[in-house]
């Protein structure tokens, strides 16, 4: 057995699968990421938007939306506050860079260790989420690029729909809730079957 | 499912919110006296009908909201952000 991946919220986990063996199992993949929360200081929101546009080429989105540019994304959290998602390799550098750039304009909090990103996909991804989440996640109500902070399996999550035709959702959840959420997801997906891949095992 | 409209997130299920009490009470002046502060902390009306309330959207945008809710029918007439004022009257 290889050494535990310290980036993973499931350090003891190996890829595994379960539930009924069907044609459309739910694919659950842990996606390690750099996550930085930025909160505009009072009256400085316009400067924050301008600074993020300049340094990251990201247009901070309106409520309920995400913005993407290259390998980064910005997710709306609450008035004046966003979560920046970047590749895991930037954990050592991005939070400090942003803190420096946004000094006086925004509070910058590195959430890379505090949050876990779980991606779920598959033809029945929506049906599985419907068992855990009260929001209408149908394409007409929750399209690619939409995001919402809500409850999934009684756990506070930031859920967003990534681009592409096939249903694919990312759940940003508190790290200490990740095991619980995984359990809820696999239980809800039992009738379709599921496959889980922790970080480190997943293709980058 | 009781839906509460959040001015930031749109209609959301009630279990994303915590009820945080009467939004009509205002803090008395520092020298208003013991009875005024007793009433401010403890004395509440229990209206049958429209009531302005604090609701905390804890599982959504984390904002405290002012919500005008009918305690008889659970209908919601309006909701605004914490620093905004609810409309004057509801028919
Ligand atoms: Zn909200």
């Amino acid at each position: 057995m290889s050494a535990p991946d310290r980036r993973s919220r499931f350090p003891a986990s190996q890829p595994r699968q379960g539930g009924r063996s069907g044609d459309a199992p739910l694919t659950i993949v842990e996606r390690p990421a750099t996550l930085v929360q930025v909160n505009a200081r009072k009256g400085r929101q316009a400067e924050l938007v301008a600074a993020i546009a300049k340094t990251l080429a990201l247009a901070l989105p309106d409520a309920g939306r995400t913005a993407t540019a290259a390998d980064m994304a910005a997710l709306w959290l609450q008035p004046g506050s966003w979560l920046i998602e970047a590749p895991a390799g930037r954990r050592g550098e991005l939070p400090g860079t942003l803190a420096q750039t946004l000094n006086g304009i925004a509070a910058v909090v590195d959430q890379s260790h505090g949050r876990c990103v779980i991606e779920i996909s598959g033809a029945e991804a929506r049906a599985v989420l419907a068992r855990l989440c009260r929001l209408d996640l149908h394409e007409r109500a929750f399209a690619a690029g939409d995001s919402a902070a809500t409850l999934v399996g009684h756990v506070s999550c930031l859920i967003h729909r990534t681009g592409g035709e096939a249903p694919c959702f990312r759940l940003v959840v508190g790290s200490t809730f990740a095991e619980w959420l995984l359990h809820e997801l696999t239980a809800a997906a039992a009738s379709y079957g599921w496959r889980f891949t922790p970080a480190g095992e997943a293709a980058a | 499912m009781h839906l509460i409209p959040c001015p930031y997130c749109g209609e959301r299920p009630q279990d994303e919110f915590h009820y945080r009490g009467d939004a009509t009470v205002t803090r008395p002046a520092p020298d208003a006296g013991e009875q005024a502060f007793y009433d401010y902390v403890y004395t509440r009306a229990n209206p049958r009908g429209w009531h302005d309330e604090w609701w905390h959207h804890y599982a959504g945008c984390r904002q405290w909201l002012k919500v005008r809710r009918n305690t008889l029918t659970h209908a919601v007439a309006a909701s605004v952000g914490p620093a905004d004022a609810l409309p004057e009257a509801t028919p």
Side-chain angles (χ1 to χ4, degrees):
Chain A
M1 193 180 137
S2 54
D5 184 345
R6 301 175 101 184
R7 296 181 310 173
S8 176
R9 302 295 172 248
F10 312 92
S13 288
Q14 299 294 308
R16 60 183 194 265
Q17 56 190 59
R20 194 166 152 244
S21 53
D23 301 330
L26 185 74
T27 304
I28 310 167
V29 182
E30 183 192 10
R31 297 278 184 209
T34 302
L35 299 166
V36 187
Q37 186 171 342
V38 293
N39 303 306
R41 298 201 185 276
K42 204 168 187 179
R44 311 295 293 270
Q45 185 167 324
E47 287 165 82
L48 170 63
V49 170
I52 294 289
K54 189 167 169 236
T55 52
L56 304 179
L58 276 169
L60 291 179
D62 292 336
R65 292 288 296 167
T66 63
T68 51
D71 52 3
M72 302 184 84
L75 296 92
W76 184 87
L77 290 176
Q78 60 192 54
S81 175
W82 290 265
L83 189 69
I84 310 287
E85 191 187 307
R90 298 193 65 180
R91 272 189 195 181
E93 154 269 325
L94 186 64
T97 306
L98 284 178
Q100 219 164 23
T101 311
L102 303 174
N103 185 26
I105 298 173
V108 176
V109 184
D110 182 7
Q111 295 283 11
S112 306
H113 298 85
R115 302 279 186 275
C116 169
V117 182
I118 296 175
E119 186 177 275
I120 61 174
S121 57
E124 302 296 347
R126 259 189 217 100
V128 172
L129 280 173
R131 292 170 177 174
L132 299 171
C133 176
R134 297 195 196 275
L135 294 194
D136 182 359
L137 298 176
H138 190 279
E139 192 66 34
R140 69 178 166 247
F142 199 78
D146 278 344
S147 96
T150 185
L151 295 170
V152 178
H154 305 284
V155 175
S156 276
C157 275
L158 184 61
I159 181 168
H160 63 114
R161 165 94 157 82
T162 56
E165 288 289 299
C168 180
F169 299 89
R170 281 189 173 202
L171 300 166
V172 184
V173 63
S175 294
T176 51
F177 289 103
E179 285 274 10
W180 165 272
L181 184 64
L182 177 65
H183 182 265
E184 292 283 304
L185 287 168
T186 55
S191 60
Y192 303 109
W194 53 268
R195 278 195 295 262
F196 168 66
T197 312
E201 303 287 345
Chain B
M1 174 57 53
H2 185 210
L3 295 174
I4 296 175
C6 170
Y8 307 105
C9 307
E11 280 201 326
R12 291 301 186 90
Q14 175 253 318
D15 53 2
E16 289 185 11
F17 297 83
H18 284 142
Y19 176 68
R20 302 301 297 180
D22 190 333
T24 64
V25 290
T26 49
R27 189 183 175 85
D31 58 356
E34 198 175 316
Q35 185 60 43
F37 272 93
Y38 179 89
D39 289 343
Y40 168 62
V41 176
Y42 295 112
T43 310
R44 293 290 178 271
N46 185 17
R48 180 179 183 274
W50 294 107
H51 189 218
D52 294 353
E53 303 169 331
W54 287 111
W55 286 82
H56 182 210
H57 195 189
Y58 80 95
C61 59
R62 270 78 174 173
Q63 302 299 292
W64 282 57
L65 310 172
K66 280 183 216 156
V67 177
R68 180 164 297 158
R69 182 180 68 97
N70 191 307
T71 59
L72 192 66
T73 63
H74 287 306
V76 174
S79 68
V80 294
D84 301 325
L86 282 162
E88 282 294 311
T90 296

